[in-house]
Amino acid sequence: MEGDGPAVRRRSRAASARKRSGDRAQSRGACYPPARKRPSSRAGEEPQPAPSTPEYNNDSEEDMFGDYDSFSGNDSLLAQVDNMEQECIQSIDLTSCTKNMEDEATVEPSFGYFQLQNAKSKELIFSAAGNITGFRTEEENHLRITSKQENWTLEPGDCFLDDLPSSQFLYFEEMNKTSVDSRKSSGTKENANDMNSCLDKMLNQSSCHHNAEHTKINNELSLSTMSNLNKRKSLKDHLKNTMTGNAKAQTPQVSRTKQLKEAVLSEEICAAKKTIETSSVDIGPFYGLPSKVKDLFVQFRGIEKLYEWQHTCLTLESLQQRKNLIYSLPTSGGKTLVAEILILQELLCRQKDVLMVLPYVAIVQEKVWALSSFGIELGFLVEEYAGSKGRFPPIKRRKKKSLYIATIEKGHSLVNSLIETERVGDLGLVVVDELHMLGEGSRGAILEMILAKILYTSETTQIIGMSATLNNVGDLQQFLQAEYYTNNFRPVELKEYVKIQDSIYEVDNKAENGLTFSRLLNFKYSSNLQKMDPDHLIALVTEVIPNYSCLVFCPTKKNCENVAEMVCKYLNKEYKNHKENEKQELIKDLKNIGKGGLCPVLKGTIPFGIAYHHSGLTSDERKRIEEAYSTGVLCLLTCTSTLAAGVNLPARRVILRAPYVAREFLKKSQYKQMIGRAGRAGIDSAGESILIVQEKDKHLVRDLVNSPLENCYSNLFLEFTKGIQSLLLSLVGLKIARTPEEIYHFMCGTLFGVQQQFLSKEKSLSAITREALGCLIEKGLLKGKMTSEKEQKSQSNLEITQLGQATYKGSIDLAYCDALYRDLKKGLEGLVLESCLHLLYLTTPYDMTYHCRPDWMIYFRQFSQLNSVEQKVAAIVGVPESFITKKASGQAIKKDVDNCVINRLYLSFVLYALLKETNIWNVSEKFNMSRGYVQNLLNSAASFSSCVLHFCEELEEFWVYKALLTELTKRLTYCVKAELIPLMEVAGVLESRAKQLYDSGYKTLAHLANADPETLVKMIEHLSRRQARQIVSSAKMLLREKAEALQEEVEELLKVPTDISEGLLTTLP
């Protein structure tokens, strides 16, 4: 033991046996039968638990009495005790002791070391109070009993503690430690109850029932011992009674093994911190992390050993030196595991926050699920930033560190808030998955902004980027100032094929035209079937299903449904027998999700083990179909390209129905992502992909399979309002750069700055920057005067206007900020609050209006169902009743009405119906829209409502909207009955699952956080153990996060201000 406390050393069995052969033990040996030694277990085996006490689940490897039948059978121990007592009695005046005790004696119990103090003398007695279990030992590792007449000492070699059984010895050891710690902290007398409380804390909160029973037994012992004190009871009897009481008391259900494991974990974390700080070659038990992390990967993921490339990557010198890193491997190569280990190193060893940026909401929720279990076990927080979720700025944690898992848009808002509050240095690591998305439209531009701002504002933040499809890595390395690591490893071999007519060719880079003939399809087609299936899809899928899984990627959503129906129409009816009961349960679940409704296509295809998967399904439906596919209930999915970039659903065979996505020819990166789903690690020995090609596309496909990946180019310039203008506005607002010269310097460090010579040959980077700044000043978002480039150095600082501040803080597209301001301003003149329709119109996303094609009969019908007050909303926003009526009747209209306003009001009718009915199925049928589109509208409206709320918070004139939009955002986010909202706050719990949990009695977040996963599996239909554990872990994480937030708020309120003079401070009583 460390510290100032006494150390008690337990001797080996052999040493104890030699001690029992002493003279004093022999003189008393006739009083008791010799101890009978139990047969010991074989080496490496644990002793079997006693059958008489099956309810005790102590995982200690030693029982109450060690190798002896009972403590009374140990004649050596009791002989020593009796002999000691006689010597002690001879040296003490018993009469004087009794008299002093009756007068004004004060007893101070201290776990075996007892002193009697009074004004006249100090005399040694043996006293018992509270929970007597052993003797106090001093720092020098010996037991000392003092009195006025005589001091004498028992050396370690003579101490009878060496002969105690292991369970008693451990109890002595913990009691001595607790006693010393308590004396250090207080220096005052403590009673037995205080010591019991300390013990309970030390043993990691034993059960309440155990505490009550244990305290009762100990108090009885205390009263019994004190009443017998005047009778001068012998030391031997005291010891026997005490040990008997301890034997009867229930053993605390925290074993020595568990305590040692926790101590090892703490030590390993400390060692890992030192290791990483010193960048030593010896990186600790598990890449600088405690060995418990390795155990958790085995427990939660089944990962027992890393791939060789993962080990190489984690031990790169560049990582040890905290350089930025880009690494690229094929899909399913295990990239994410490396990122997760690096994240845990940052959280546990360097004690810094981490931001992980992922492309889609579904992937964010999946990752929150997966890492919440690690957070619970290792003591860090996992916070979700997706859709309308997230707090800006995030709460500053004093104790625990946070892992922020965010979409690209929310990650940008998060970084902005950290820069504004000067906390960006708290981010130790930023991990970006799918780094190639830098080259994909407006989302790529936002991702570039995130990385450029971090590079410019924080020198200590490390950036890790990963992707399966990167080509021009040199540009990305220059932008991120990063090292590069790549490997072609795949856990399962992938074979690529191309099918032309009935011939199948293998992709071979060594061949002249890139293709080598492999085989002919062996499937008999009738003339009718040949007409229905000219691409031989049925032949290709029946080679795999139902025993193996298959994915068929189709160009459009409608094609997915048609292919699924066509395949089922010509399949043998025997396919229905495969997992028939599970398929019926799946159909039942989908009906419950649809509140009685079920897509007729799915109703016909699921009995064959086939389903479609695209954005037309609701989130609940997609999740349930994914679960059924993962468990083998479904063996074939017809899907769009979005599945390749979303959740991980591997297959034995991947078939590409055509080399097109919608009407555009397939890109190499898209092709690689799709075929990367082929081959399941640990299940398949190989995976294969087959691209179906028509004769007219043969030359294009040859180029596709043999060409390199597309280059990744910046979108800051192409996405002008969402790109460079938005970036420059936030630079001035965040005070990162204030003059054109500083802004130009920043732009040189962006990916656009690196690639400017390729992207804009006509204009220089400086000219583009100045042009963008001029547009911002013209829109009234910035203040300042733009002069010529020659006069640039003498120019004054640029300043952001209130509207500009609101725009960048609300993450509003600059193309719509003026329109939003006008709509909100107009709303103040006559805001209709009898219902939420007017507010819904104001929070309907502008970008959704371009894809809306109203059905005018439905428009008129929905308008007619509104009450008179609600109909006034249409007139206020600029859509009169006469216009809707004439449109529905097909009459000519002379008056011009803004199409954006018309479409926006129509979509607000959809949202209004959703909030009233909370049934996506009914609303989608009522408006003749797909269920997926309606849900996408709802999610977009919730996110945009959150943006409008932040926009209004920056403008004092819109104060009235703050409270209104806070509640509306919450309603749009969940769109369920109020009682289900607490459950749906848990990552991954959607409406159908929330209903199941609520109906089973789990009505609050606390209920779910304290649930037993095994009980959940029994009570909730179609819930796997893995899902149950993830739900409970996510609930615990969310509950812990909320509790931590409240605690941080309390501490902040009680914090003494640092900007107040000492004379103004008062001393609290």
Side-chain angles (χ1 to χ4, degrees):
M1 291 189 188
E2 296 179 0
D4 299 329
V8 180
R9 179 179 60 83
R10 187 170 189 273
R11 300 194 313 170
S12 64
R13 297 284 185 202
S16 299
R18 288 194 300 272
K19 177 64 182 172
R20 286 193 292 273
S21 64
D23 295 337
R24 287 184 293 176
Q26 291 177 2
S27 65
R28 304 278 298 188
C31 298
Y32 303 98
R36 291 173 283 122
K37 193 159 187 173
R38 296 180 182 175
S40 59
S41 303
R42 294 181 182 178
E45 295 183 0
E46 295 185 0
Q48 297 298 320
S52 60
T53 56
E55 67 275 20
Y56 298 147
N57 294 320
N58 194 336
D59 61 353
S60 174
E61 296 180 0
E62 299 174 289
D63 63 9
M64 180 64 76
F65 297 114
D67 288 340
Y68 299 99
D69 289 338
S70 72
F71 66 84
S72 63
N74 185 353
D75 59 328
S76 176
L77 171 61
L78 296 177
Q80 293 176 48
V81 170
D82 201 67
N83 198 19
M84 285 169 51
E85 183 192 25
Q86 295 300 323
E87 293 180 17
C88 182
I89 290 173
Q90 292 172 8
S91 63
I92 298 175
D93 184 358
L94 297 177
T95 304
S96 175
C97 180
T98 305
K99 184 175 182 297
N100 289 335
M101 195 169 64
E102 289 175 352
D103 292 337
E104 42 186 354
T106 303
V107 180
E108 180 184 0
S110 55
F111 287 101
Y113 183 84
F114 301 94
Q115 282 187 307
L116 188 66
Q117 299 177 342
N118 56 50
K120 298 179 181 180
S121 64
K122 290 183 180 181
E123 299 177 340
L124 174 69
I125 69 165
F126 186 89
S127 175
N131 185 7
I132 303 175
T133 56
F135 294 92
R136 179 178 177 89
T137 56
E138 297 293 346
E139 285 183 73
E140 299 79 15
N141 291 331
H142 64 270
L143 184 144
R144 180 176 299 148
I145 301 177
T146 60
S147 69
K148 183 176 181 179
Q149 289 86 359
E150 183 180 357
N151 290 336
W152 47 278
T153 303
L154 287 176
E155 294 298 329
D158 299 322
C159 183
F160 56 81
L161 289 175
D162 292 338
D163 285 346
L164 289 179
S166 59
S167 58
Q168 292 292 329
F169 175 84
L170 179 59
Y171 210 49
F172 273 77
E173 195 172 76
E174 301 295 356
M175 281 303 183
N176 286 321
K177 180 180 177 182
T178 306
S179 176
V180 171
D181 292 343
S182 300
R183 282 177 169 278
K184 282 183 182 179
S185 61
S186 65
T188 60
K189 300 177 185 180
E190 297 180 359
N191 57 32
N193 289 333
D194 291 334
M195 295 179 181
N196 281 338
S197 176
C198 292
L199 176 62
D200 290 341
K201 291 179 182 178
M202 178 185 63
L203 291 179
N204 199 13
Q205 298 179 350
S206 297
S207 68
C208 295
H209 172 75
H210 160 66
N211 286 341
E213 182 181 349
H214 196 85
T215 304
K216 180 179 177 182
I217 294 174
N218 290 332
N219 288 339
E220 289 174 358
L221 287 171
S222 176
L223 293 172
S224 174
T225 311
M226 290 301 292
S227 64
N228 292 331
L229 183 62
N230 292 332
K231 299 178 182 179
R232 198 176 48 79
K233 206 168 188 178
S234 69
L235 178 61
K236 177 182 69 179
D237 292 337
H238 277 292
L239 183 59
K240 287 176 63 177
N241 285 341
T242 299
M243 296 177 72
T244 302
N246 288 335
K248 291 179 180 178
Q250 182 179 336
T251 305
Q253 296 184 10
V254 178
S255 68
R256 189 176 190 180
T257 305
K258 182 175 181 180
Q259 292 171 353
L260 290 174
K261 284 182 178 179
E262 291 175 353
V264 168
L265 173 62
S266 178
E267 290 176 5
E268 287 180 349
I269 289 178
C270 293
K273 286 182 188 177
K274 294 178 181 178
T275 297
I276 290 183
E277 288 171 0
T278 57
S279 299
S280 170
V281 178
D282 179 10
I283 59 173
F286 185 67
Y287 301 99
L289 290 164
S291 55
K292 182 175 181 180
V293 174
K294 183 178 181 180
D295 297 337
L296 292 177
F297 276 114
V298 175
Q299 179 183 344
F300 296 143
R301 307 283 181 80
I303 299 172
E304 296 183 358
K305 186 179 180 181
L306 271 63
Y307 296 130
E308 185 177 343
W309 83 263
Q310 291 171 328
H311 173 76
T312 302
C313 186
L314 286 167
T315 54
L316 288 173
E317 188 66 26
S318 56
L319 283 181
Q320 306 305 313
Q321 297 174 0
R322 287 190 61 72
K323 293 182 180 179
N324 297 340
L325 177 69
I326 300 170
Y327 63 98
S328 176
L329 280 97
T331 302
S332 76
K335 298 183 295 295
T336 304
L337 179 60
V338 170
E340 288 175 349
I341 292 174
L342 294 174
I343 286 170
L344 293 176
Q345 285 179 351
E346 200 69 33
L347 290 166
L348 299 179
C349 304
R350 296 190 182 94
Q351 292 291 299
K352 290 281 191 175
D353 295 330
V354 177
L355 170 61
M356 188 176 197
V357 181
L358 301 171
Y360 303 111
V361 174
I363 303 178
V364 168
Q365 293 176 340
E366 185 180 355
K367 189 58 65 178
V368 170
W369 261 43
L371 292 177
S372 289
S373 301
F374 286 85
I376 294 295
E377 293 290 335
L378 299 172
F380 61 86
L381 299 173
V382 180
E383 301 184 36
E384 179 183 349
Y385 280 77
S388 61
K389 294 183 179 179
R391 195 189 299 250
F392 305 104
I395 295 175
K396 186 175 178 63
R397 314 285 182 182
R398 289 182 175 83
K399 298 176 182 177
K400 294 185 178 179
K401 297 304 171 183
S402 293
L403 168 59
Y404 309 114
I405 303 180
T407 56
I408 294 172
E409 295 78 7
K410 285 295 180 180
H412 185 220
S413 298
L414 177 64
V415 169
N416 282 345
S417 67
L418 290 173
I419 293 173
E420 184 179 20
T421 54
E422 299 182 351
R423 289 169 48 196
V424 70
D426 292 345
L427 277 182
L429 177 67
V430 174
V431 175
V432 179
D433 195 7
E434 310 295 352
L435 186 63
H436 62 270
M437 290 197 72
L438 278 167
E440 297 186 11
S442 61
R443 305 190 78 215
I446 296 173
L447 180 57
E448 184 176 345
M449 293 182 212
I450 295 174
L451 297 173
K453 287 176 182 176
I454 290 172
L455 286 167
Y456 194 85
T457 59
S458 176
E459 296 180 356
T460 59
T461 304
Q462 186 181 22
I463 296 174
I464 303 293
M466 52 182 168
S467 175
T469 54
L470 288 177
N471 189 34
N472 56 330
V473 180
D475 290 349
L476 299 180
Q477 281 186 266
Q478 186 178 344
F479 165 45
L480 295 177
Q481 304 161 31
E483 301 290 321
Y484 180 59
Y485 175 84
T486 186
N487 197 301
N488 293 321
F489 171 81
R490 268 187 63 94
V492 177
E493 182 187 3
L494 173 62
K495 296 180 179 179
E496 299 177 44
Y497 298 96
V498 173
K499 187 191 87 66
I500 303 174
Q501 294 182 350
D502 59 351
S503 300
I504 295 180
Y505 300 86
E506 184 174 359
V507 175
D508 184 2
N509 295 327
K510 297 179 181 178
E512 184 177 350
N513 61 357
L515 300 175
T516 303
F517 178 78
S518 177
R519 65 185 174 96
L520 286 172
L521 274 177
N522 184 21
F523 190 88
K524 294 183 180 180
Y525 269 77
S526 63
S527 58
N528 184 39
L529 182 57
Q530 184 68 37
K531 291 178 182 178
M532 294 299 298
D533 183 25
D535 295 326
H536 307 100
L537 271 173
I538 295 175
L540 294 174
V541 300
T542 51
E543 290 178 346
V544 180
I545 65 171
N547 295 323
Y548 299 98
S549 56
C550 182
L551 294 175
V552 179
F553 284 99
C554 303
T556 65
K557 290 183 285 188
K558 187 62 180 175
N559 192 234
C560 289
E561 299 176 26
N562 292 340
V563 168
E565 286 186 301
M566 184 271 294
V567 171
C568 291
K569 186 175 181 180
Y570 293 98
L571 278 183
N572 193 306
K573 302 302 179 184
E574 293 179 358
Y575 282 88
K576 288 186 174 183
N577 299 330
H578 183 73
K579 297 192 175 182
E580 183 177 4
N581 294 334
E582 290 88 340
K583 293 171 186 173
Q584 292 303 317
E585 288 293 330
L586 174 59
I587 291 175
K588 179 182 174 183
D589 286 350
L590 291 174
K591 282 185 177 179
N592 290 335
I593 290 171
K595 298 180 180 178
L598 177 64
C599 171
V601 176
L602 291 177
K603 186 178 181 180
T605 61
I606 287 176
F608 289 91
I610 299 172
Y612 65 85
H613 184 289
H614 57 59
S615 60
L617 296 168
T618 66
S619 299
D620 282 313
E621 289 174 321
R622 282 201 301 271
K623 195 172 188 67
R624 186 66 187 93
I625 287 172
E626 289 163 6
E627 290 172 2
Y629 176 81
S630 298
T631 55
V633 176
L634 296 176
C635 54
L636 172 64
L637 290 184
T638 58
C639 50
T640 55
S641 60
T642 53
L643 185 140
V647 293
N648 186 21
L649 294 176
R652 175 68 171 268
R653 175 177 289 179
V654 169
I655 301 172
L656 279 69
R657 171 75 174 73
Y660 291 90
V661 174
R663 296 181 180 180
E664 295 183 5
F665 194 78
L666 203 62
K667 296 178 182 178
K668 182 63 176 280
S669 59
Q670 293 172 323
Y671 170 72
K672 283 292 186 182
Q673 278 194 324
M674 292 181 190
I675 67 172
R677 297 299 181 194
R680 297 171 297 174
I683 300 175
D684 299 327
S685 56
E688 54 188 24
S689 67
I690 301 176
L691 173 59
I692 299 175
V693 181
Q694 306 300 322
E695 283 287 340
K696 63 183 182 69
D697 294 325
K698 280 172 59 177
H699 64 288
L700 294 174
V701 169
R702 285 197 185 99
D703 294 338
L704 173 70
V705 297
N706 294 299
S707 65
L709 290 162
E710 296 86 6
N711 288 335
C712 178
Y713 290 116
S714 170
N715 278 271
L716 277 181
F717 183 64
L718 297 176
E719 297 289 335
F720 201 61
T721 58
K722 285 187 176 180
I724 190 169
Q725 285 191 10
S726 179
L727 172 60
L728 300 188
L729 179 65
S730 64
L731 290 180
V732 177
L734 294 170
K735 301 179 182 178
I736 295 174
R738 303 291 297 277
T739 67
E741 186 177 11
E742 290 174 348
I743 292 172
Y744 172 75
H745 182 259
F746 179 95
M747 291 298 299
C748 289
T750 62
L751 180 61
F752 177 65
V754 172
Q755 299 175 332
Q756 188 270 331
Q757 55 183 338
F758 303 107
L759 300 178
S760 179
K761 297 180 180 179
E762 298 178 358
K763 296 180 181 179
S764 66
L765 180 60
S766 177
I768 293 171
T769 302
R770 295 176 63 78
E771 181 184 341
L773 288 172
C775 291
L776 292 173
I777 293 173
E778 187 178 337
K779 288 181 179 180
L781 301 176
L782 289 180
K783 290 188 294 186
K785 292 184 179 180
M786 294 299 298
T787 57
S788 63
E789 291 189 37
K790 295 180 180 179
E791 302 173 335
Q792 184 173 319
K793 291 186 179 179
S794 61
Q795 185 177 338
S796 60
N797 289 347
L798 295 169
E799 293 183 7
I800 193 166
T801 63
Q802 280 192 324
L803 179 60
Q805 185 90 351
T807 300
Y808 97 80
K809 281 202 171 183
S811 300
I812 305 295
D813 188 341
L814 270 61
Y816 309 125
C817 63
D818 288 336
L820 177 61
Y821 180 82
R822 288 195 303 269
D823 288 340
L824 291 170
K825 189 77 173 175
K826 189 176 181 180
L828 290 177
E829 298 172 4
L831 188 62
V832 178
L833 295 178
E834 187 168 310
S835 72
C836 62
L837 179 60
H838 200 167
L839 283 174
L840 284 172
Y841 172 81
L842 295 174
T843 56
T844 300
Y846 290 94
D847 55 356
M848 295 285 289
T849 61
Y850 298 108
H851 308 291
C852 178
R853 299 290 181 269
D855 184 316
W856 286 103
M857 287 304 298
I858 296 174
Y859 208 144
F860 177 74
R861 189 182 308 124
Q862 291 301 313
F863 179 83
S864 302
Q865 292 175 0
L866 300 175
N867 61 40
S868 58
V869 177
E870 291 170 337
Q871 288 180 351
K872 288 181 181 179
V873 175
I876 291 172
V877 301
V879 184
E881 181 180 359
S882 58
F883 177 85
I884 300 174
T885 305
K886 288 180 181 180
K887 274 286 189 180
S889 60
Q891 299 179 28
I893 299 173
K894 296 180 180 180
K895 186 177 181 181
D896 188 25
V897 179
D898 188 352
N899 277 333
C900 180
V901 175
I902 294 169
N903 294 348
R904 203 163 175 232
L905 182 62
Y906 186 69
L907 293 177
S908 66
F909 285 172
V910 178
L911 292 170
Y912 188 47
L914 264 176
L915 290 186
K916 287 195 297 184
E917 298 187 29
T918 68
N919 189 328
I920 291 178
W921 268 85
N922 292 345
V923 174
S924 63
E925 291 176 1
K926 189 179 291 185
F927 287 87
N928 193 26
M929 295 175 170
S930 72
R931 304 182 300 283
Y933 179 83
V934 172
Q935 188 167 61
N936 184 42
L937 171 64
L938 180 64
N939 294 337
S940 298
S943 181
F944 187 65
S945 177
S946 175
C947 293
V948 175
L949 173 59
H950 293 302
F951 181 88
C952 293
E953 286 175 343
E954 298 300 319
L955 297 170
E956 187 63 31
E957 58 190 304
F958 294 147
W959 64 270
V960 70
Y961 288 116
K962 296 177 186 177
L964 296 172
L965 291 176
T966 300
E967 184 60 29
L968 182 65
T969 302
K970 192 173 183 180
R971 291 184 64 186
L972 287 170
T973 300
Y974 300 107
C975 193
V976 293
K977 294 180 180 179
E979 61 264 22
L980 297 181
I981 290 178
L983 299 177
M984 290 189 66
E985 288 180 339
V986 178
V989 175
L990 302 177
E991 183 180 1
S992 59
R993 186 71 78 200
K995 285 180 180 177
Q996 285 181 308
L997 293 167
Y998 189 86
D999 293 340
S1000 299
Y1002 300 97
K1003 300 181 185 297
T1004 67
L1005 182 61
H1007 288 163
L1008 204 52
N1010 290 283
D1012 177 21
E1014 292 298 324
T1015 305
L1016 277 180
V1017 171
K1018 294 176 183 177
M1019 297 183 68
I1020 308 298
E1021 291 184 350
H1022 311 299
L1023 182 69
S1024 67
R1025 283 179 173 80
R1026 174 177 169 273
Q1027 291 169 333
R1029 286 194 297 268
Q1030 287 180 331
I1031 287 175
V1032 172
S1033 294
S1034 297
K1036 284 181 178 179
M1037 179 57 67
L1038 183 58
L1039 192 64
R1040 184 173 294 183
E1041 181 188 328
K1042 289 187 173 185
E1044 292 275 344
L1046 291 173
Q1047 184 63 35
E1048 296 285 347
E1049 188 175 345
V1050 169
E1051 292 182 6
E1052 188 65 30
L1053 287 172
L1054 297 176
K1055 186 179 177 182
V1056 178
T1058 57
D1059 57 347
I1060 189 170
S1061 61
E1062 293 184 4
L1064 298 177
L1065 296 176
T1066 59
T1067 304
L1068 294 175

